[in-house]
Amino acid sequence: MDLKRWAHIVAVADRRSFARAAEQVNLSQPALTRSIQAAESELGLRLFDRGTQEVATTPAGEFIVARARQLVFDSRCLERDVTLYRNRGLGDTAFGVGPYPAATFLSPLLAGVRREYPGIKLRVEVSNWQLLLKRLLEEDIEFFVADTRDLPANDLLQIRPLRHELGGFYVRPGHALAARKTVTLQQVWDEGVASVRLPAGVRAVIARLLGEAPSAELSVALECDDVQTLKDVALACDLVLAAPHAAVEAEVAAGTLHPLVVAGLPPLYSDMGVVTLRGRTPSPMADLIIRRLPSSAARKPRRGT
C-alpha cells in the first residue's frame, strides 16, 4: 500500500475527524474518505467507526495504526537522513530545554556549538516539560532536556538520565531573613517563594514539612518558567528565590544574593534527563548537542546530608 495512504490512516486516528485530518494532509475530505475506504478494502479490515461526534479507531484499526505510525515515522527519518548525507552537512535542529537547564548550561553550550559550526541554524524552545513533551510528540523538536520525574509513562519516549541539579533558597542581602544563621521553612514560605513549577516529589516534601497534606495545592507566590525573571524579581523585593545552585553562582559570588540555611530541610534537587522519541535516529547536529550536554554535576544527595 502506498506510504501516503498509511499517513492518511495515522492522520485520521490522531485527529479523530475526517475534516481535520484532511486539512492536515492537504486533501479534500471526499478524497481522504476515498483513500481510507480503499485502505480498508485492501486490508479487508474496518479501521474506523464513523460516529456523529468523532471518528473512533476500531480494535483492528488500533493494531494497524500502531504499525502505520512507525512506517510514516521511519520514512520521515529516512528522507531527512538522505538529505543530510547528500549535502554532507551536520544539518540544523530544533530542541527544547526546561527552565533550569536554560538558566545553567544552555548559553555556554550554544555559544560553543556556534563557534565551531557558524553556518548551522538552531531553534531552541524554553518551556516547562508539559509543553516540551507536546512539541516532541508532534515532532516539532528532536529532543528536550528537563526534569523528568513527573513525565508520564509512555512507550514512545526514551529517557536518558543526565545530571542532578541541587537547589536551595536565596534572598537579597537586605532581606530580613538574610541576617539569620538558620531559618525555618515556614518563615521562608511566609515571605513568599518565587519558583519554577516544582516537581510533584519536591512539592510533597515541602507540603509535609509545612504540615499540609501531600495532596494539598502548595501555595507559591510567583511561579514562572523563566529563572532570570525570578532572579530579577527576588533582587527587587522580599520574595524568596527557589533556584538551582548553578543558576545563581554569579550572584552569590558577587554578594547580590544570599543563600538561606533552612533547618530540617533535606537536599532538594531536580533530575535532569534527555527525552527523545524511541526508535528515532537523531540528526547529526542533535546527536552532537546531546553528546555535549553536561552530565558531571553532583550525585543525587542522600537525605540528611
Side-chain angles (χ1 to χ4, degrees):
M1 188 158 54
D2 186 86
L3 186 62
K4 289 183 178 179
R5 189 159 289 160
W6 292 118
H8 297 166
I9 292 171
V10 172
V12 174
D14 287 345
R15 306 296 287 181
R16 294 183 176 274
S17 161
F18 278 87
R20 292 192 295 268
E23 183 178 354
Q24 177 179 316
V25 299
N26 296 315
L27 280 179
S28 67
Q29 185 173 338
L32 178 62
T33 299
R34 289 194 297 271
S35 176
I36 298 300
Q37 289 172 339
E40 290 178 322
S41 175
E42 185 172 342
L43 294 169
L45 296 169
R46 185 173 181 81
L47 304 179
F48 302 103
D49 288 326
R50 285 77 163 169
T52 55
Q53 297 298 321
E54 63 177 24
V55 175
T57 310
T58 66
E62 292 179 4
F63 173 83
I64 294 298
V65 167
R67 286 148 182 81
R69 193 184 303 280
Q70 189 63 48
L71 281 171
V72 173
F73 178 77
D74 289 343
S75 173
R76 284 198 293 265
C77 290
L78 177 61
E79 289 177 359
R80 180 204 65 194
D81 292 346
V82 168
T83 299
L84 291 173
Y85 184 84
R86 186 173 57 241
N87 295 337
R88 296 179 180 176
L90 282 175
D92 308 326
T93 189
F95 64 97
V97 292
Y100 283 176
T104 54
F105 55 77
L106 177 63
S107 295
L109 182 142
L110 293 179
V113 171
R114 282 293 305 175
R115 284 193 299 268
E116 192 170 347
Y117 302 97
I120 56 100
K121 296 181 180 64
L122 302 174
R123 178 167 58 83
V124 184
E125 182 161 346
V126 179
S127 189
N128 56 68
W129 69 260
Q130 292 94 333
L131 292 179
L132 294 178
L133 177 58
K134 182 175 184 292
R135 297 287 184 270
L136 181 68
L137 293 175
E138 292 172 347
E139 298 183 50
D140 185 51
I141 56 177
E142 284 203 68
F143 67 92
F144 69 86
V145 185
D147 193 311
T148 60
R149 280 176 291 183
D150 289 347
L151 279 176
N154 190 326
D155 290 340
L156 295 176
L157 302 180
Q158 179 145 354
I159 302 172
R160 192 191 87 188
L162 187 62
R163 58 189 282 161
H164 301 289
E165 242 4 303
L166 289 168
F169 294 101
Y170 303 85
V171 294
R172 62 183 182 83
H175 196 287
L177 297 182
R180 299 173 180 263
K181 288 185 178 180
T182 63
V183 298
T184 67
L185 185 61
Q186 189 63 61
Q187 288 173 322
V188 168
W189 231 256
D190 288 344
E191 293 292 332
V193 171
S195 173
V196 302
R197 177 73 177 174
L198 295 171
V202 173
R203 298 174 78 89
V205 169
I206 291 175
R208 177 176 56 81
L209 294 174
L210 291 174
E212 300 179 8
S215 58
E217 184 62 30
L218 194 64
S219 175
V220 177
L222 174 60
E223 194 171 270
C224 177
D225 286 335
D226 186 350
V227 175
Q228 185 58 53
T229 296
L230 295 174
K231 287 197 289 186
D232 291 343
V233 173
L235 288 168
C237 70
D238 285 339
L239 281 179
V240 179
L241 172 66
H245 297 333
V248 295
E249 283 179 339
E251 289 81 2
V252 171
T256 56
L257 277 176
H258 175 79
L260 296 177
V261 178
V262 183
L265 184 69
L268 300 178
Y269 61 91
S270 56
D271 273 332
M272 294 294 111
V274 183
V275 186
T276 57
L277 290 174
R278 188 178 300 278
R280 174 166 183 165
T281 302
S283 67
M285 179 52 67
D287 180 65
L288 181 143
I289 292 173
I290 290 172
R291 284 188 284 108
R292 293 191 179 184
L293 291 171
S295 58
S296 57
R299 292 178 293 112
K300 179 177 175 180
R302 296 179 180 177
R303 286 185 177 273
T305 60

